[in-house]
Amino acid sequence: MFSKTLVLIALLSSNVNAKPLALRKTLETGDNDEFAQESLDLELILEGGERQLFPLLPGTKCPTGHTCRVRNSQKLNVGPMAAGIRATRWTPLAATLDWNSLNNNLNEVVKSNNYCTRRQSMARAAGLVAGVAAATVAKPAYAAETKTVLMGSDSGLLAFVPAKTQICKGDTVKWINNKGGPHNVVFDEDAIPSGVSQEKNSMDEQLGDEGDTFSMSFDTAGEYAYYCEPHRGAGMNGMLVVL
């Protein structure tokens, strides 16, 4: 289901900027002269083996390896996209979609130059296509990710792996005690963004057992320098960049 969701999003996003005013006119007035070309429905297999047809944007070709059906929109006297929506509006797949939210997120994926904005918009679009409520995907935590940092390399080197980690605002970093412990994470109060509490973000204790973890979420953009207090003299330092 997830792979088919990505295919569907790719198909939609490849056409998200194509003649939006003309498409709006077609949806509102039923004037489909401009979209007289063949219109297709993409056949998706949902969980449990159920088959659903999802309307592709006008002019979109059926992707290789997938099954599509020709949609006859002339009988409904509406544009082909509107015909597809009307024909499938009572199906579970179509009924769960918030079309405005989906369109907005796909526009961000296509237009934004910001990596975090594109990543978060793609995650939200995937959620909408999968049937997650718009109110749920709009929450910052929905599109957040967790990055992992090892404390001590597999060979026993006293280092954070990777030494530099880049995340987006709202993401979480999970440090895992790997080798050579005990370890901890202490942020340098002189090398973190202004207004961020060094004490709040740093660990109070040390992780002694392999596999023990420490997680922290970050909402303020900037660079965060940190170190392992027991092994700072050995050069066990790390850098976190929040975009």
Side-chain angles (χ1 to χ4, degrees), residues 11 26 30 33 78 86 120 125-126 139-140 170 180 205 216 232 234 236:
L11 290 170
T26 299
D33 291 341
V78 295
R86 177 178 295 181
Q120 292 163 357
K139 295 178 180 179
E205 301 178 352
M216 180 65 64
R232 188 179 190 183
M236 191 169 177

Side-chain angles (χ1 to χ4, degrees), residues 46-125:
L46 307 182
E47 295 181 3
E50 181 184 359
R51 296 176 181 270
Q52 290 287 337
L53 296 179
F54 195 93
L56 300 180
L57 290 178
T60 300
K61 295 181 180 181
C62 188
T64 302
H66 292 266
T67 301
C68 295
R69 300 173 187 258
V70 177
R71 185 190 325 132
N72 185 357
S73 60
Q74 302 298 325
K75 293 182 180 180
L76 296 173
N77 193 31
V78 295
M81 190 63 180
I85 295 173
R86 177 178 295 181
T88 61
R89 69 183 183 272
W90 300 119
T91 67
L93 182 61
T96 57
L97 280 175
D98 184 314
W99 293 91
N100 287 330
S101 295
L102 179 62
N103 181 67
N104 291 338
N105 281 293
L106 290 175
N107 270 313
E108 290 289 352
V109 172
V110 174
K111 294 179 179 180
S112 178
N113 293 322
N114 183 280
Y115 162 76
C116 291
T117 299
R118 293 197 306 272
R119 192 203 77 187
Q120 292 163 357
S121 296
M122 178 62 79
R124 293 189 176 101

Side-chain angles (χ1 to χ4, degrees), residues 15-214:
N15 290 274
V16 72
N17 292 314
K19 303 178 182 178
L21 295 179
L23 178 57
R24 184 184 304 167
K25 179 181 178 182
T26 299
L27 292 173
E28 293 177 350
T29 67
D31 180 5
N32 60 6
D33 291 341
E34 186 174 357
F35 297 99
Q37 69 265 43
E38 182 179 81
S39 300
L40 302 175
D41 289 331
L42 175 66
E43 184 176 273
L44 298 177
I45 301 177
L46 307 182
E47 295 181 3
E50 181 184 359
R51 296 176 181 270
Q52 290 287 337
L53 296 179
F54 195 93
L56 300 180
L57 290 178
T60 300
K61 295 181 180 181
C62 188
T64 302
H66 292 266
T67 301
C68 295
R69 300 173 187 258
V70 177
R71 185 190 325 132
N72 185 357
S73 60
Q74 302 298 325
K75 293 182 180 180
L76 296 173
N77 193 31
V78 295
M81 190 63 180
I85 295 173
R86 177 178 295 181
T88 61
R89 69 183 183 272
W90 300 119
T91 67
L93 182 61
T96 57
L97 280 175
D98 184 314
W99 293 91
N100 287 330
S101 295
L102 179 62
N103 181 67
N104 291 338
N105 281 293
L106 290 175
N107 270 313
E108 290 289 352
V109 172
V110 174
K111 294 179 179 180
S112 178
N113 293 322
N114 183 280
Y115 162 76
C116 291
T117 299
R118 293 197 306 272
R119 192 203 77 187
Q120 292 163 357
S121 296
M122 178 62 79
R124 293 189 176 101
L128 290 168
V129 172
V132 181
T136 299
V137 302
K139 295 178 180 179
Y142 182 82
E145 292 185 352
T146 298
K147 294 290 184 69
T148 298
V149 177
L150 297 181
M151 306 167 82
S153 70
D154 290 338
S155 63
L157 183 66
L158 296 175
F160 290 104
V161 183
K164 183 177 182 179
T165 304
Q166 181 173 288
I167 63 173
C168 299
K169 286 192 298 184
D171 286 354
T172 298
V173 178
K174 180 169 71 173
W175 286 270
I176 302 176
N177 188 22
N178 188 41
K179 298 288 184 181
H183 298 298
N184 65 358
V185 174
V186 178
F187 287 91
D188 187 337
E189 61 182 354
D190 296 322
I192 57 177
S194 176
V196 172
S197 172
Q198 182 266 355
E199 184 177 357
K200 180 180 178 181
N201 287 278
S202 299
M203 293 180 60
D204 294 328
E205 301 178 352
Q206 299 176 6
L207 302 179
D209 295 331
E210 292 185 7
D212 285 351
T213 64
F214 167 72

